[in-house]
Amino acid sequence: MSQLPGDLPAAVLVVIHLSPDYPSQLPAILSRSGSLPVQHAQHQALLSPGHIYVAPPDHHVLVAHDRLHLSRGPKENRSRPSIDVLFRSAAYTHGAGTIGVLLSGMMDDGTSGMWTIRQLGGRTVVQNPEDALYGSMPLSAVQHVAVDQILPAHAIAPALTRLLDELGPVAEEPNMSDEEWRRLEVEVGIASEDNAFNSGMLNHGSLSTFTCPECHGVLVQIREGRIMRFRCHTGHAYTADTLLSELRGSVEGYLWQAARTLDEDVMLLEHLSKHADEADQTELAAAYRQEAQVARARGRRMRQEALQAGEDKALPVETPPGP
């Protein structure tokens, strides 16, 4: 931000994943970093060149032609605001007049939105994964999208000023099929709080055998070039990697629930054995104690499985090198 010129002929929109439970200080931080005015995006605010608009916590930011649109539509990749929502809406309304910039981050957020920008003739800039504090997000974009430039952070602002000069005569023609365009319209609408089911989301992908980790709705599989992702009929969306992470988390949660249930089983059996002893039902008391020992052993095994599941989930996934 510190390197962007004061007369930048474009509006800058920023999405960063922060906790919805705390106010964001990002506008104040960015204001100290450069000469451009910075503010949180406001619903129906007019987009002005040379201004920076930061997504407020727990709200998607969409570009609606010359205005901003805030929504609390379904989360994408467990996040609201979503990078992909911003990228798609900007490309949908401004096409070749859009430049997408993807910086350091975990997982693969932004890859789908970058693909949309690229297909509609806009420009794409990605921070060099080796230059990023967290390289997986820019690396995913490099692997799945024919991005225009891969640059270290310090070179991105100068590149943006050059690209803004080139956008008119150099921008490419849209390369999106009618079906892809209709799906884009539906997905931008979903992010704007349209009803995903009534919008026909289930007709814009192949039905999968998986269910949404958040609402347990039906998931359809969507393909965008080399990208595979999923969206449920309620509207939640996941990349393949995020869906895998969610499923792994569910497995760990179910294992801990099973361990807790077995602990409760032991407590009840021990209570029953004590009650049987007091009633001089020694054989019944012994049977309860033996069953409690079996349940305690099973609980120990289940607890170990839950601990192992947590360790496995924390292991980094080796990502194959890009083309």
Side-chain angles (χ1 to χ4, degrees):
M1 292 301 180
S2 64
Q3 299 178 61
L4 291 176
D7 59 349
L8 188 76
V12 179
L13 288 87
V14 178
V15 165
I16 186 170
H17 296 157
L18 296 172
S19 170
D21 301 320
Y22 300 95
S24 168
Q25 301 302 319
L26 189 57
I29 294 170
L30 295 181
S31 293
R32 296 194 298 267
S33 302
S35 60
L36 298 179
V38 188
Q39 64 193 73
H40 272 126
Q42 296 182 349
H43 188 58
Q44 292 301 313
L46 201 63
L47 275 171
S48 298
H51 285 66
I52 299 173
Y53 303 92
V54 177
D58 206 30
H59 287 80
H60 291 312
V61 175
L62 296 93
V63 179
H65 298 289
D66 61 345
R67 295 186 180 273
L68 294 171
H69 180 90
L70 300 188
S71 88
R72 298 195 72 253
K75 294 180 180 179
E76 292 212 17
N77 290 332
R78 303 174 293 184
S79 299
R80 189 173 50 231
S82 163
I83 302 168
D84 290 309
V85 164
L86 172 62
F87 282 177
R88 287 194 205 106
S89 68
Y92 176 67
T93 55
H94 287 269
T98 305
I99 302 174
V101 181
L102 198 61
L103 303 176
S104 169
M106 301 292 289
M107 301 294 289
D108 52 2
D109 299 304
T111 298
S112 173
M114 292 288 263
W115 179 86
T116 301
I117 291 173
R118 195 73 178 83
Q119 294 299 107
L120 291 177
R123 293 294 188 226
T124 50
V125 180
V126 175
Q127 184 179 4
N128 191 320
E130 295 181 0
D131 178 66
L133 183 61
Y134 301 102
S136 60
M137 202 161 75
L139 180 61
S140 173
V142 171
Q143 291 176 328
H144 295 93
V145 181
V147 299
D148 293 297
Q149 298 192 40
I150 304 168
L151 302 170
H154 68 81
I156 290 177
L160 290 179
T161 58
R162 291 193 299 271
L163 284 173
L164 285 170
D165 292 335
E166 299 171 358
L167 271 184
V170 179
E172 297 179 8
E173 291 296 319
N175 183 27
M176 185 172 280
S177 69
D178 290 343
E179 166 55 29
E180 289 169 340
W181 178 257
R182 286 193 295 269
R183 186 181 68 233
L184 176 60
E185 288 184 311
V186 169
E187 292 198 284
V188 170
I190 291 170
S192 301
E193 302 183 11
D194 288 351
N195 185 302
F197 179 71
N198 290 343
S199 298
M201 187 61 226
L202 293 180
N203 300 321
H204 292 281
S206 56
L207 288 175
S208 75
T209 57
F210 311 113
T211 57
C212 174
E214 190 156 352
C215 70
H216 306 294
V218 175
L219 284 172
V220 294
Q221 180 177 307
I222 299 168
R223 287 197 174 273
E224 296 171 329
R226 289 177 287 179
I227 302 166
M228 180 175 65
R229 58 188 181 90
F230 300 85
R231 189 182 286 275
C232 75
H233 72 273
T234 306
H236 304 110
Y238 304 87
T239 63
D241 284 350
T242 304
L243 180 60
L244 177 60
S245 177
E246 287 287 291
L247 292 176
R248 285 173 172 170
S250 298
V251 168
E252 182 185 358
Y254 289 136
L255 289 170
W256 282 114
Q257 289 180 35
R260 183 259 305 162
T261 302
L262 287 165
D263 287 344
E264 293 175 354
D265 197 18
V266 171
M267 288 187 286
L268 179 58
L269 288 166
E270 289 179 340
H271 177 77
L272 291 173
S273 67
K274 182 179 179 181
H275 181 75
D277 277 330
E278 291 172 351
D280 292 328
Q281 297 175 305
T282 55
E283 290 185 4
L284 182 59
Y288 281 139
R289 281 193 292 271
Q290 183 177 2
E291 191 175 351
Q293 290 177 352
V294 173
R296 182 177 282 107
R298 292 176 63 197
R300 283 196 297 268
R301 292 195 298 271
M302 195 60 63
R303 185 176 298 272
Q304 193 59 44
E305 287 290 334
L307 291 169
Q308 185 61 50
E311 290 180 8
D312 292 344
K313 186 178 66 173
L315 291 175
V317 177
E318 287 297 326
T319 306

